Structures are given as C-alpha cells and as structure tokens.
Amino acid sequence: MNKTISIARTEFLKHLQKPTFWLTLLGVPILLVVVSLLGNAGDPGSSQAIPGLATPDQIAAEIKAGKPQVGFVDQSGLVPGIPASFPAETAALYRQYASIDEAQAALANEEIPGFYIIPADYLTKGELVRYSPQFNPFGGALQESLIEIVIATNLLDSQDVLYARALLEPTAGLKVEALNPPVNSAEVQNESVRQEAAFALGTGFALLLYISIFMSASLLLQALIEEKENRVIEVVLSSVSPRHLLQGKIAGLGLLGLFQVSVWLAIAGGALVGGSKIMATLSAIKVTPLVWALALVCFILGYLIYASLMAGIGAIANTMRESSQLTVIVVLPIIIPLMFLSVIITQPNGTLSQVLTYVPLTAPIVLVMRAAISAIPLWQVGVSLLGMVATVILLQILAARIFKANTLLSGAKPSLGGFVRALRG
Amino acid sequence: MRNAKWWTVAAHEFGIHVRRKGFIAATLGVPLLFAVGFGLIVLFMARGETPKGVGYIDQSGITSAQPDRVVITDTLQLDVPLIRYTDEAAARADTEAERIDGYVVIPADYLATGSLRAVSDDLPSVSKDALRTFLRRTLAANNQSAASPRLSRVITEVRSRTPDGAREATRAQGVLLFFTPYLFSMFFFIGIFTSSSYLMTALVEEKENRVMEILATSIKPFSLMAGKIFGLGLLGLTQITIWTAAAFGMFSLAKLRFPDMAGLSLPSEVVLIAVVMFIPAYLLVAASLSTIGAAVSAVQEGQQLSGIVSVLMISPVWFLTSIINNPHSVLAVFTSIFPFTAPIVMMQRVAITTVPAWQILLAWIVQVGAAIGMMWIAGRVLRFGMLRYGKRLTVRELGQALRG
C-alpha cells in the first residue's frame, strides 16, 4: 500500500513540476477570457426582444443611441402605419418609407440596419422581402419580430398590440411549477429563461466532466506508454507489483485531474461573478450542493472507468501511435452524450436520457446533466450509480489481469488475439 | 535526384497511412457516424417523449369558442390532446394520477400580461409546443376579419437581398449558407489535424527510435520534411474529398426526398474559397507541427504544444456569432486575414456578406507567405533538432537554429 501511495505522489508531483501542465492549467482560462472579450467587443448586444417584452432600459438605450431598428415599405396597403396601441418607445423603432428608393437611400446612409418590403400579394402568400447588407439567417431575428408584430397588429380588428403579442408568442410568459411540494410562484422562472439556463448549465456540466475525465485518463495512458517506450517501466516493475503501479498511477493522475478542474472552476466562478449577464441567466436554475456532490462522485467513478480502459490500452500498446487508434474506440461512448446534448437537455426525462443514464460508459456525464437541469427520480440515480460502481470493479479486475508483467514487457503488436490472451491470463 | 528522394518519402508516408485501419475507419466511419447520429437525434426528438396531454383552466374566456378537447398534431405526427377543466382540483388530481402531463391556468388578465401558470413535474417539450400552437390558433380564430387565416402564420418566408439586389436568399438557403462553411471548417480542421499530427508523431517517433539517424545519412532534412508533408497532405486531401463527397451525396438525396429543398443550391463561392485556402492552410499547420516535432523530444510534449496550434485554428468558432453579426468589424476582418484563422473565417464571411476582393487576395497571399515562412523555419529547426535526444530545444537554441 505504501508503494501505491508513493507512486501516486511521484506521479502527481512529476506532472505538477512540468511547465506544460501549468501552461494548460492557466493558458486555457486566459485564452477563453481573451476570446470572450474579443467576441463581445464586436457584438452590438444580441438582444432578441419582442416589443413589450424587452426591458424598457434596452429599448430606451437603443432610442437614445438614435437607432431605429427596422425600416419597411408597404405595397399591400395592409400596414398604413404604426397602430396607436403601440407604446411610444416601441413605435420609435420603426421607419416607414413610401417607396423602395427612399428606403434604399436610408439604408445607404446607415439610418437603418435593414428594411422589409410587404409585397402586394402578401395576404395570400405571407412572404416578405428583406434588404440588408448581410445574409445572416439568424441575425435578423429582432428586426423580423418587430415587423411581424406590426403586421399582426394591423391585421387585427382591434388593432391591439397586446393581443398581437399574445398571439405571436402565447407562451412567452409561461411558468411551470412543480406538482409537489407547492412553491411560491414568484420564485418560479419563466420557462423560456429556464430553458436557456438549462442549455448553458447542461452544456457546461457535460464539457466539464468530459474534459476532466478524459484528460486525466489520457494522462494515464501517456504516462504508461512513455515509461514503456523508454523502458523505465522495466526498472520500476523490478520493485513494485503491476497492480500497485496501476493503482498508484490512477490515484495520482486522478488527483491531478481533480486539481486542474478545481482551479478551472474557481477561475470560472470568479469570471462569472464578474460577467453579470451570464450569471443572471444561470441563476434561473439553482445548482444545489447535492448536485455538486453528485458531480464529484460521477467524476471519480467516470474517471475510474475510463482510466481502467486506458490502462488496458496502455498495457497492450507499445507506442503512442498504436494507442491512439485504440483510444478512438474508448472515446466514442463518452462522446455520445455530447452528440445528443440538445436531446438530453430538451428532454431530460425522455427515453434517450434514461437509457444513457443506465449505460455505465455514458452515465457519469448524463446523470449529472439531468440532475442539474431537472428533477430526477432518486431510484434512477441509485441504479445508475450502482451500475457505475459495478463497472468500475469489473474493469479494475480486468485491467489488473491485462496489466501483468509479461504484457507490459513484451513488445508484441497489439491485436485482438493478444488482448483476449491477456484477459484469460 | 533530390526530387526523387522526397517523392519516395511522400509515397511511403501516403502508402502506409492510407492502408491503416485507423485511417480507413475514420474516413468512412465519420460520415456514417454523422448520418446515424443525425437520424437518431431526429428520431429521439420526435419519439423520445410520449405526451399524455395537457389540461387547461381558462379564466380569461379566450377559448370559449373551442371544443372541450382539441388534439394538436405537430410536424412530426405526434398527437397532444388539450383538455378543458373547469376547476383546478380536478386537473391536479388527473395530473397526480398521471392521466395528463400537467395543466395550465390561463388567468383573467392573460391578454394584458401574457403570464401563464402551469403545474407539472415534467412537462414534455412536445406538450409545451402543442400548448403554444393551440393558444395561437385560438387567438387567431377569435379575430373576425378576413385576414384571420394569415394570423396563424404571419410570415411564411423572407427573401433576403443584398442592398444592390445582386444576391437573394430564402431562409433555408440562408441556413445552408451559414452551415456550409461551418461543416467545411470541421472537415478542414479534422483533416488537417489528422494528417499533421501523423506527421508530428512520425517525426518524433523516428527521432525516438533512432530511424532518423539512418535517414539523415541519405536524405537532406528539408527533403525529408517536404516528402512527409506532401505525402500526408495528400492523405488529408483524400479524407476531406471523401467527406465532402459524402456530404454532397446526402444533400442531393435530401433534395430529392424533400421538395422544400429543391430550390437550394450549394454556395459555389464558399466551396471555391475552401479549395483555394486548403493547401496553404495545411502547409502552414503541417510546418508548424513539424517545427514542434523537431524541437521536442517526446510525443507527449509535442501533443501538448500542438494543442496550442489547434486551439488557435479552431478559435474562430467561439466568436462566430460576433463575426456573423458584424461581418465587417475589425475583429472579423483581422481574423479572416490572420493565417491560422483565415480559412474558417473567410469562408464564413464570403457566405454571408460581400467581401472586398482585396481582402480575399490579401488573406490568400498572407496565408501562402506564412506557409512558406513556416516551412523555412521548420526546415531550419529540423536540421538543428533532428538528432538531439532527451532534451527539447530552448528558445535560445531555436533562435540560433533560425539564424543558421
């Protein structure tokens, strides 16, 4: 046992002293900060507001900046102007032009970011034409919602903008309360806000676990292969049993991964408190300490699962190049949750999410995601965790078999046959 | 004579890698994985949940003209019944008995405030969509004018035009314009990095197992590197060509299958930029990674350093939204000319806006210049570091190597 600990300590300290480790540790957050700063610098505030739902501050700021959001030319006769029911600050966002030429001139002078034409056959077809310097299919969302509401209001008998708003986005103000226990409805967030937070949070947790599990497991593989390649392992094996070597390395590198992730989380926490916008979005979902605890448990179990698999690869592969092919097979299951991210987040209790919770190779990530963004039945957590623990035990036994001196020392090419032989012992 | 040698190296590298199981699996497996994954996502989105229905209690009177039970069928043919309840207790009881997924209360002031209160432990996303459709149809039907049918779908299509009217795109075409560069970027990135990291591991490995010493007796360092870069570049090109062909095939199939897509065409200017930019981009990355490979002594170190190059190249994806919102901002122009980010950003900009010709030309020249410069550096460093073992080159030694 002492040997295991000393190997773990050596492995941990050895990596801690490498400059490349610190470069990754501090470089990644710095790079992310720089990128997000650069990214925001050119971003004119991508508000996707609908009049009446946008914050008054936002609209006021835009008007103060003297920027009408949209111009339009009506050829159908359906939109004679901005209905009186529009709030004054919303009405100020529009510029109506009598002809396309006038609108073109305004666009050239940069008075408006773009304009729409409501053609004569609009009522039968529902088609609009938009003139704007860019083709961006998503960027015109705000302009389009402005045009949509002015048309809809004009089509109504009542010419009531509030009715039009309800008609266009009937569930924008939806709040979903849990059945039991009854909660104070003031504390429940808007469903759209909650969904947005769920996306950010779910993606965040998935990436966090993926990176931490996979990075520590790959470090293990690299360390093993490196020692095999430069024959250090032969010296080490003369004084330590393969099992102790494996356990020591797994423990040391696991700690290293945990350390790295903790540092990242601390930096991220600090940065998020500074960037209030993201924080406001994220606060729509409370991450309880229980979820963090579950995340820690899932990290440990997930790491043990993938570290055992990587150790198996490390035992049979002789060079980095050989191992990278085998790694691909192991990586696939952990990528699945990332591939189906959107499905898992929009349907946290759907069939796919449930199935992936029970598959031990995908469970560490999916379980944490589901726990973070929705209420997950306790028995499902239990079954999932039990499955992972059982897999860890099984894989540890198998890895110990493969991880024998004769496998580690032989220079044979990795093959399926050799793999099975090593398993049989 | 010298040409023949680098050609031998190139043919050798291409030959051994193209036959490797890993390469074949990646080349053929990726499109397959994409197709299967995409199919599964659609399938699960459509059939992952089994909605039981949504109850509603209307206190505002907007639904008085509707029958007590309305079935909303969504685009994926999933039925969601909406059932009227007169009091909340009954709806709650049915929710608890799991006869419905949950219920929603439409308050008396709904039209003024827009607020809705739902009670459910797990409201499937299909049910939320169905509720939305139901309310929208109801509100449109309550309006008596001749224009009412239009109200259920106010805007069916927006044709975007550039100010001069030279280019026009429908919504779907716009999405295609957006995703084609994105997809190409992924191909680019994966293709370039598989071949370049083969290159780097090959260099470091040959250094480690001393094959380099034998090679050095019969070939000049620069020819060795040029041969490797050429052979592996061809490998990457093969991979990207197969992927592009697969993507194009799937696109054509989809076009035949869905009449809505018939009017769509692949933006040829994007494809052109991709073709023109690929070769210098590859040479640049390959030369950078060779430099790293020659300077470090272990594969592990090399991989960490090459991570920096890959991050540099993939970084545009992070601020893509900013570039799309503002395709003429300083950031967008700079990243579309800066050698490592240029291929991805330039494709994106060409797709969504009209880029001045001088910028495209400048980007290409800078890219080619950077590639040549990096090749030169790589050759120098390789000559200096190819026979050094156990110790990576320090910054000072790198400087010496460059000065020759």
Side-chain angles (χ1 to χ4, degrees):
Chain A
M1 201 58 205
N2 263 338
K3 284 179 177 168
T4 310
I5 292 171
S6 89
I7 288 175
R9 200 175 50 217
T10 316
E11 202 63 42
F12 186 74
L13 292 177
K14 191 178 86 188
H15 278 93
L16 220 55
Q17 281 159 4
K18 281 190 180 171
T20 35
F21 173 77
W22 291 98
L23 201 70
T24 328
L25 185 68
L26 301 175
V28 170
I30 291 175
L31 202 74
L32 281 177
V33 168
V34 169
V35 161
S36 64
L37 281 182
L38 274 177
N40 282 337
D43 190 353
S46 51
S47 51
Q48 299 234 332
I50 297 167
L53 293 177
T55 62
D57 295 354
Q58 244 172 354
I59 295 178
E62 272 156 11
I63 294 164
K64 254 184 211 148
K67 270 194 182 166
Q69 287 297 327
V70 67
F72 67 96
V73 177
D74 180 35
Q75 297 173 332
S76 66
L78 289 167
V79 187
I82 311 298
S85 62
F86 269 61
E89 61 266 33
T90 311
L93 296 174
Y94 297 90
R95 287 281 180 282
Q96 185 166 15
Y97 299 95
S99 70
I100 297 178
D101 291 340
E102 276 176 45
Q104 287 273 28
L107 185 61
N109 289 337
E110 293 186 4
E111 287 167 31
I112 42 171
F115 68 89
Y116 286 79
I117 299 172
I118 306 163
D121 62 354
Y122 163 73
L123 203 57
T124 50
K125 279 185 168 169
E127 289 190 359
L128 299 180
V129 177
R130 168 184 178 226
Y131 279 86
S132 119
Q134 42 172 306
F135 273 179
N136 178 5
F138 310 113
L142 174 65
Q143 294 178 30
E144 201 169 307
S145 63
L146 281 169
I147 276 296
E148 193 175 27
I149 199 162
V150 82
I151 296 176
T153 314
N154 272 294
L155 291 180
L156 288 172
D157 305 323
S158 57
Q159 302 266 304
D160 181 3
V161 69
L162 286 179
Y163 194 91
R165 187 196 69 192
L167 177 107
L168 293 176
E169 284 301 331
T171 52
L174 178 69
K175 290 182 178 182
V176 181
E177 291 170 10
L179 196 58
N180 285 309
V183 282
N184 182 6
S185 53
E187 282 172 15
V188 180
Q189 283 287 342
N190 253 5
E191 193 55 16
S192 50
V193 178
R194 202 196 65 84
Q195 196 72 36
E196 213 173 291
F199 244 96
L201 213 62
T203 317
F205 267 113
L207 284 179
L208 191 70
L209 280 164
Y210 167 74
I211 294 174
S212 55
I213 289 176
F214 193 65
M215 204 185 50
S216 328
S218 322
L219 271 181
L220 176 75
L221 177 66
Q222 282 174 11
L224 273 179
I225 300 266
E226 201 186 31
E227 290 186 1
K228 265 179 99 168
E229 281 182 343
N230 59 21
R231 308 288 192 269
V232 167
I233 208 160
E234 297 179 8
V235 182
V236 175
L237 280 180
S238 65
S239 59
V240 188
S241 78
R243 226 187 74 201
H244 284 153
L245 180 69
L246 178 64
Q247 286 172 349
K249 276 191 187 298
I250 289 183
L253 292 169
L255 271 179
L256 191 77
L258 205 58
F259 172 67
Q260 187 155 10
V261 172
S262 318
V263 172
W264 283 351
L265 270 182
I267 295 176
L272 282 187
V273 171
S276 56
K277 196 176 164 192
I278 309 173
M279 209 52 195
T281 310
L282 284 183
S283 66
I285 294 180
K286 296 252 179 328
V287 182
T288 57
L290 219 60
V291 172
W292 286 112
L294 188 66
L296 183 67
V297 171
C298 280
F299 164 75
I300 294 171
L301 288 173
Y303 166 69
L304 286 176
I305 290 174
Y306 281 93
S308 313
L309 289 172
M310 290 291 197
I313 293 176
I316 52 174
N318 295 309
T319 62
M320 217 53 220
R321 212 198 267 198
E322 281 171 9
S323 71
S324 63
Q325 292 172 5
L326 293 167
T327 320
V328 173
I329 305 169
V330 176
V331 180
L332 276 182
I334 204 170
I335 285 184
I336 289 175
L338 297 180
M339 266 177 81
F340 296 108
L341 209 59
S342 56
V343 182
I344 297 169
I345 291 172
T346 47
Q347 308 178 350
N349 292 315
T351 320
L352 179 74
S353 310
Q354 293 203 22
V355 170
L356 292 182
T357 315
Y358 302 135
V359 178
L361 289 179
T362 53
I365 292 181
V366 179
L367 185 64
V368 176
M369 278 173 73
R370 289 183 59 196
I373 62 175
S374 84
I376 168 171
L378 218 57
W379 64 269
Q380 291 192 5
V381 179
V383 171
S384 175
L385 286 178
L386 274 181
M388 282 192 264
V389 171
T391 313
V392 168
I393 295 171
L394 183 73
L395 283 174
Q396 277 288 318
I397 295 173
L398 291 181
R401 282 213 178 164
I402 299 176
F403 216 80
K404 282 199 180 132
N406 56 351
T407 327
L408 291 177
L409 296 180
S410 77
K413 279 236 161 202
S415 66
L416 203 64
F419 186 69
V420 174
R421 242 175 288 130
L423 271 186
R424 284 221 199 93
Chain B
M1 193 60 201
R2 203 180 131 202
N3 277 357
K5 275 185 183 165
W6 72 258
W7 180 251
T8 314
V9 174
H12 169 78
E13 285 290 339
F14 185 80
I16 54 167
H17 281 102
V18 85
R19 259 174 273 151
R20 276 171 52 178
K21 276 184 216 134
F23 176 76
I24 296 172
T27 310
L28 302 179
V30 167
L32 209 68
L33 207 69
F34 253 92
V36 172
F38 190 69
L40 281 178
I41 287 179
V42 172
L43 187 75
F44 278 115
M45 276 291 189
R47 290 281 179 269
E49 297 171 315
T50 40
K52 300 189 192 81
V54 184
Y56 68 91
I57 298 131
D58 185 12
Q59 297 166 346
S60 69
I62 53 166
T63 62
S64 48
Q66 299 289 329
D68 285 352
R69 188 188 157 90
V70 179
V71 176
I72 302 285
T73 307
D74 71 355
T75 41
L76 295 160
Q77 309 298 321
L78 216 56
D79 290 341
V80 183
L82 279 117
I83 304 140
R84 185 198 303 277
Y85 286 84
T86 41
D87 71 313
E88 201 174 330
R92 181 173 271 274
D94 272 6
T95 309
E96 271 164 1
E98 298 194 354
R99 278 190 283 275
I100 51 175
D101 295 316
Y103 63 90
V104 59
V105 179
I106 307 171
D109 61 354
Y110 169 65
L111 282 178
T113 61
S115 62
L116 289 171
R117 187 174 66 90
V119 176
S120 167
D121 274 338
D122 176 31
L123 198 59
S125 48
V126 214
S127 303
K128 268 180 258 175
D129 291 344
L131 175 69
R132 187 174 180 275
T133 313
F134 169 69
L135 285 174
R136 186 158 186 176
R137 280 188 198 160
T138 307
L139 288 170
N142 286 354
N143 189 53
Q144 298 299 322
S145 80
S148 293
R150 184 76 285 145
L151 277 172
S152 59
R153 246 186 117 191
V154 175
I155 300 176
T156 56
E157 173 69 276
V158 176
R159 296 181 181 281
S160 283
R161 287 183 190 154
T162 47
D164 55 3
R167 292 172 75 185
E168 183 179 291
T170 57
R171 269 177 181 162
Q173 182 76 32
V175 172
L176 191 67
L177 275 174
F178 176 78
F179 277 109
T180 312
Y182 195 72
L183 195 70
F184 261 111
S185 308
M186 294 320 280
F187 287 177
F188 236 56
F189 185 73
I190 301 174
I192 286 181
F193 266 89
T194 0
S195 36
S196 300
S197 51
Y198 280 155
L199 176 72
M200 196 187 66
T201 23
L203 274 178
V204 181
E205 260 181 28
E206 283 171 8
K207 224 165 116 173
E208 280 179 348
N209 60 22
R210 310 292 194 263
V211 169
M212 193 68 103
E213 292 175 16
I214 300 165
L215 285 176
T217 59
S218 61
I219 189 168
K220 282 187 180 166
F222 191 79
S223 316
L224 177 70
M225 192 191 65
K228 277 185 187 295
I229 288 182
F230 186 76
L232 291 170
L234 221 55
L235 192 78
L237 202 62
T238 315
Q239 196 167 40
I240 294 180
T241 312
I242 291 173
W243 287 347
T244 311
F248 190 73
M250 276 188 232
F251 174 68
S252 308
L253 262 181
K255 240 167 104 166
L256 284 177
R257 185 83 180 69
F258 303 105
D260 284 359
M261 291 178 70
L264 301 182
S265 57
L266 269 184
S268 51
E269 62 277 4
V270 176
V271 181
L272 197 70
I273 292 286
V275 172
V276 170
M277 285 295 211
F278 171 78
I279 293 164
Y282 165 71
L283 289 178
L284 179 67
V285 175
S288 309
L289 292 198
S290 315
T291 313
I292 294 172
V296 301
S297 58
V299 178
Q300 200 174 342
E301 273 175 346
Q303 274 172 347
Q304 275 159 346
L305 282 174
S306 72
I308 300 173
V309 180
S310 65
V311 164
L312 205 59
M313 204 180 157
I314 203 78
S315 60
V317 174
W318 292 331
F319 37 78
L320 214 53
T321 40
S322 162
I323 289 167
I324 289 164
N325 281 335
N326 246 340
H328 294 290
S329 67
V330 179
L331 174 77
V333 174
F334 175 75
T335 48
S336 68
I337 293 172
F338 184 70
F340 283 97
T341 52
I344 292 178
V345 181
M346 193 50 101
M347 267 195 293
Q348 193 71 58
R349 287 184 65 209
V350 166
I352 60 165
T353 185
T354 323
V355 181
W358 67 266
Q359 283 183 12
I360 298 180
L361 202 67
L362 181 65
W364 190 75
I365 291 172
V366 169
Q367 185 85 11
V368 171
I372 294 173
M374 206 65 219
M375 294 272 283
W376 180 80
I377 292 176
R380 279 293 170 91
V381 173
L382 188 66
R383 205 177 66 183
F384 205 81
M386 69 190 293
L387 294 179
R388 305 248 310 195
Y389 300 113
K391 184 166 161 285
R392 64 163 173 260
L393 294 183
T394 61
V395 178
R396 241 182 67 207
E397 284 166 337
L398 277 179
Q400 274 176 11
L402 292 187
R403 260 177 271 124

